[in-house]
Amino acid sequence: MIPGAEPCPCGTSLSYAACCRRFVVDGELAPTAEALMRSRYTAYAMGSGDHLFRTWHPRTRPADIEPDPALTWIGLDVVDVVDGAADDTGGIVEFRAHWRSGEGSSRQSGTLHERSTFARRGGRWLYLGAETRV
């Protein structure tokens, strides 16, 4: 398979090269809060802590943001999007991210359900934080 031709982890029908790679690897700015959230999910799925660091608001960013290598992110469902368009200053994206870890009898799986808040600062979208849902 041609590098980047695989499906994008964020769940769109686009290839990784045509979807999130430009944000995660090339550093292009996401045009919307939803595009940033999808690229951040992809960064977690691919283990790209650099993208997570670059896109986390410095006011709320923790000291350690490296993705957990024990988790495999296996799917993303966007539940709701409020604002977050290219001309907005803020936005909210609610999503469910599905994961699994372990092998054999120790295999576990679950879903992270969050309502994440984003702000546009200096023309770029940044992740502020999230409210975890049950």
Side-chain angles (χ1 to χ4, degrees):
M1 180 178 284
I2 299 168
E6 67 275 5
C8 192
C10 81
T12 64
S13 60
L14 300 172
S15 69
Y16 173 57
C19 193
C20 288
R21 183 185 191 285
R22 61 191 175 162
F23 309 125
V24 176
V25 176
D26 300 336
E28 186 176 316
L29 300 180
T32 65
E34 181 181 355
L36 180 62
M37 185 281 305
R38 287 181 176 279
S39 74
R40 287 177 55 81
Y41 170 84
T42 297
Y44 276 106
M46 300 186 90
S48 180
D50 290 345
H51 180 66
L52 298 171
F53 182 86
R54 282 193 317 268
T55 60
W56 205 314
H57 197 290
R59 186 180 72 220
T60 59
R61 182 174 52 223
D64 181 20
I65 57 172
E66 286 301 313
D68 183 347
L71 291 179
T72 300
W73 294 96
I74 56 174
L76 176 68
D77 302 312
V78 174
V79 176
D80 189 26
V81 177
V82 178
D83 299 327
D87 57 347
D88 289 328
T89 58
I92 297 171
V93 181
E94 184 174 346
F95 65 90
R96 289 186 185 97
H98 309 283
W99 58 268
R100 72 172 175 246
S101 68
E103 297 292 326
S105 62
S106 66
R107 175 172 266 180
Q108 296 178 331
S109 62
T111 300
L112 172 67
H113 185 178
E114 281 190 3
R115 190 161 176 89
S116 296
T117 304
F118 297 86
R120 222 169 96 208
R121 178 179 165 193
R124 62 184 288 170
W125 283 104
L126 295 169
Y127 170 76
L128 282 172
E131 173 186 314
T132 303
R133 300 282 173 113
V134 179

